[in-house]
């Protein structure tokens, strides 16, 4: 089990986000560059560190953000026990669509692998999106309607 913070909140949820950047922003940057810029935005807001635990770049690279053992800052009032994952979008946002509209196949492959890895480390019972908790489009699709992501959770939890 992964625990967050001094109060040791057990991690049981992965929440997805996008960075809502202009078309082409993600393709022009390595995932580490994207992570560092997002961290700068969050520190400029007065946060102590990047709010997300992972960034997945448009070429499928994975960069660590805030340590998993620390409570993140992804959803106001819903951060304890949640791992926040941010995928910078490939095209500018125009409403809530589906995964493939905003993200690459490489991002999906890395996200699936990351979810599987986290499930081995802690008991993930929910894969959610920011828009379930706030009147926002983020991450640009309804995570509960993404059959591949949700079936992944179902399949693995059946064995546990
Ligand atoms: Zn978000």
């Amino acid at each position: 089990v992964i625990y967050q913070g001094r109060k040791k909140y057990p991690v049981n949820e992965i929440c997805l986000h996008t960075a809502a950047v202009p078309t082409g922003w993600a393709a022009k940057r390595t995932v580490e560059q994207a992570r560092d810029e997002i961290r700068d935005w969050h520190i400029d807001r007065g946060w102590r560190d990047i709010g997300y635990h992972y960034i997945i770049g448009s070429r499928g690279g994975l960069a660590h953000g805030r340590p998993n053992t620390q409570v993140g800052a992804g959803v106001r009032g819903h951060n304890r026990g949640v791992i926040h994952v941010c995928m910078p979008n490939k095209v500018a946002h125009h409403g809530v669509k589906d995964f493939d509209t905003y993200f690459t196949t490489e991002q999906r492959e890395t996200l699936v692998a990351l979810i599987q890895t986290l499930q081995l480390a802690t008991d993930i019972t929910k894969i959610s999106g920011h828009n379930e908790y706030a009147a926002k489009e983020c991450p640009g699709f309804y995570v509960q309607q993404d059959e591949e992501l949700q079936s992944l959770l179902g399949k693995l939890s059946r064995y546990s």
Side-chain angles (χ1 to χ4, degrees):
V1 178
I2 298 170
Y3 295 99
Q4 289 181 335
R6 272 176 298 175
K7 293 196 172 170
K8 300 202 176 299
Y9 302 106
V11 169
N12 54 26
E13 179 172 343
I14 297 167
C15 186
L16 306 185
H17 299 267
T18 188
V21 288
T23 300
W25 185 97
K28 286 183 217 139
R29 287 159 175 80
T30 67
V31 67
E32 290 81 12
Q33 289 169 332
R35 184 264 323 275
D36 291 348
E37 282 193 48
I38 294 167
R39 173 177 277 141
D40 286 345
W41 300 339
H42 288 181
I43 287 173
D44 284 347
R45 278 186 211 171
W47 299 357
R48 64 187 163 82
D49 191 6
I50 189 169
Y52 309 120
H53 298 91
Y54 293 96
I55 305 293
I56 301 175
S58 61
R59 280 164 269 174
L62 181 69
H64 286 269
R66 193 174 293 205
N68 289 342
T69 51
Q70 294 180 16
V71 176
V75 175
R76 187 181 293 270
H78 189 73
N79 293 304
R80 294 169 179 176
V82 179
I83 298 269
H84 293 289
V85 178
C86 177
M87 299 174 290
N89 44 280
K90 64 182 178 184
V91 297
H93 266 237
H94 294 288
V96 177
K97 304 279 175 57
D98 56 15
F99 187 100
D100 296 328
T101 300
Y102 294 122
F103 307 106
T104 64
T105 306
E106 290 87 349
Q107 281 175 309
R108 181 183 280 278
E109 288 170 358
T110 298
L111 176 61
V112 167
L114 176 62
I115 291 169
Q116 290 174 327
T117 300
L118 289 171
Q119 279 180 312
L120 294 173
T122 194
D123 187 24
I124 301 295
T125 57
K126 188 172 187 183
I127 303 169
S128 64
H130 193 169
N131 53 16
E132 290 174 46
Y133 301 104
K136 292 176 182 285
E137 293 181 359
C138 181
F141 67 106
Y142 294 117
V143 177
Q144 300 296 336
Q145 292 175 12
D146 187 296
E147 284 180 25
E148 185 189 3
L149 297 180
Q150 296 303 326
S151 71
L152 186 69
L153 182 60
K155 255 180 240 159
L156 289 181
S157 61
R158 234 175 284 143
Y159 291 107
S160 63

